[in-house]
Structure formats: structure tokens, C-alpha cells
Amino acid sequence: MTTPVCTGASRAASATAAAHAPYGSFTSYVRARGPVLLRTARSLTANPCDAEDLLQTALAKTYVAWERIEDHRALDGYVRRALLNTRTSQWRKRKVDEFACEELPERETAPAPDPAEQQALHDAMWRAVLKLPDRQRAMVVLRYYEDLSEAQTAEVLGVSIGTVKSAVSRALGKLREDPELTPVR
């Protein structure tokens, strides 16, 4: 008959083994279901490395709660919920970094033109157009105010496209030389 020499050490070893037994089942669970859970994590993130980090975090949360989980048949659902909650928390905590700088990154917008100045310019343009000969005035109005093409303008006036081009060119030259429109340039 043999008696153990150190009974305290054997009791401590058996107590340690009993304490780590649930975590051994965690390890076997992760080995068995890891690839499936990783696919789930990849569906939640765009980057495979982020998916691995997400799964690692969710499994760490599961490990902490391992002894509290009563139904181990529902572990996949528990881990998936941990994945979703972790991902949602990451998304909500996402920060937008702001940096102070001397120059504003936005372009300065030009101030809105004064409506009175716009009206004055509009009136000056019409006075200059009214000074043109009838045929040139008609071509300028059709081309630029009615937004017709050269072919459409030629068809409406019953002239060739070349006539429209040359008459409009001469009319624009006269408008450029008009003294009322000089400040605009």
C-alpha cells in the first residue's frame, strides 16, 4: 500500500485541473468554430485584419463570461451578438481628427454679386445689343439668349451657317468695343 507523500500538492493539482476544465472547453470551441466565426466577422468589416481583431475582442468577451453562459449549445449566437455589439461600439467610437492650422483648408467663396450691379450690367448689355444692326442683333439674340446652335439659327433666319458665324463674330467684336461694357472686362 502506497501513501502519497505530499497530499496537499495532489489536491492542489486536481483543484487546478478542475478550475481550468471549463476553459479547456473554450479552447476546443474556438478551434472548432473559429473559421465560421471569422467569416461572420469578415462580413462585418471591410478589412480582413480588422475582422481578426474584431473576432479576437469578441472571443475575449466570451472568455470572460464563459462560466456564466448556461446553455453552451447557444454559444454561436452569443459570440455573434458579441461581434455585432463590439463592431457597433467601434463604429460609434470612431473619431474624426481635427487639426488646427494657420490657413483654412476650405476655399474662400467669392461674395455674392450685388443685385443692383447685376441689373446695371444686364441693362448695359441690352443697350449695347440694341445698337447692333437688326440682322446681327437677331443672330446674337438667337445664339446667346435663346441658346440655339449655329445651324438652328441659320435655319430660323434662312441663311447659311457661315453667314451666322461671320455676322455673330462681327457683332461680338462691336460689343467688345462698346464703351458702356468696358468696365466689365
Side-chain angles (χ1 to χ4, degrees):
M1 172 164 135
T2 47
T3 54
V5 177
C6 183
T7 56
S10 65
R11 279 189 218 134
S14 63
T16 304
H20 290 299
Y23 300 115
S25 64
F26 176 78
T27 303
S28 62
Y29 170 75
V30 171
R31 284 189 184 134
R33 301 299 295 164
V36 173
L37 296 172
L38 184 58
R39 279 195 302 267
T40 303
R42 283 187 179 160
S43 70
L44 295 173
T45 62
N47 186 347
C49 295
D50 290 342
E52 290 173 2
D53 291 343
L54 178 63
L55 179 60
Q56 182 89 18
T57 304
L59 287 175
K61 290 178 180 180
T62 304
Y63 180 80
V64 169
W66 189 256
E67 291 180 347
R68 293 189 315 252
I69 300 172
E70 294 176 9
D71 186 10
H72 283 263
R73 293 175 299 190
L75 282 173
D76 282 353
Y78 185 90
V79 175
R80 283 190 189 105
R81 176 50 58 187
L83 284 168
L84 286 170
N85 290 346
T86 303
R87 181 64 183 139
T88 302
S89 295
Q90 290 172 349
W91 177 78
R92 286 181 181 157
K93 290 178 185 177
R94 183 178 54 190
K95 293 181 181 178
V96 176
D97 293 330
E98 294 182 15
F99 301 99
C101 59
E102 291 181 24
E103 294 181 24
L104 293 175
E106 297 89 18
R107 293 184 296 168
E108 292 184 22
T109 57
D114 183 18
E117 289 178 12
Q118 284 183 324
Q119 187 61 44
L121 176 62
H122 183 265
D123 293 342
M125 180 60 79
W126 269 112
R127 283 191 300 275
V129 168
L130 290 174
K131 292 178 192 174
L132 294 172
D134 293 338
R135 190 170 179 179
Q136 286 180 356
R137 183 174 54 241
M139 290 183 191
V140 167
V141 168
L142 290 173
R143 277 289 287 131
Y144 296 105
Y145 285 94
E146 296 296 322
D147 201 27
L148 297 180
S149 67
E150 291 170 343
Q152 292 170 326
T153 303
E155 185 179 329
V156 168
L157 296 176
V159 295
S160 70
I161 295 174
T163 303
V164 171
K165 288 181 181 182
S166 63
V168 167
S169 176
R170 283 191 301 274
L172 292 178
K174 289 180 182 177
L175 291 174
R176 283 187 197 101
E177 295 172 2
D178 192 298
E180 284 190 73
L181 299 177
T182 305
V184 175
R185 289 186 253 147

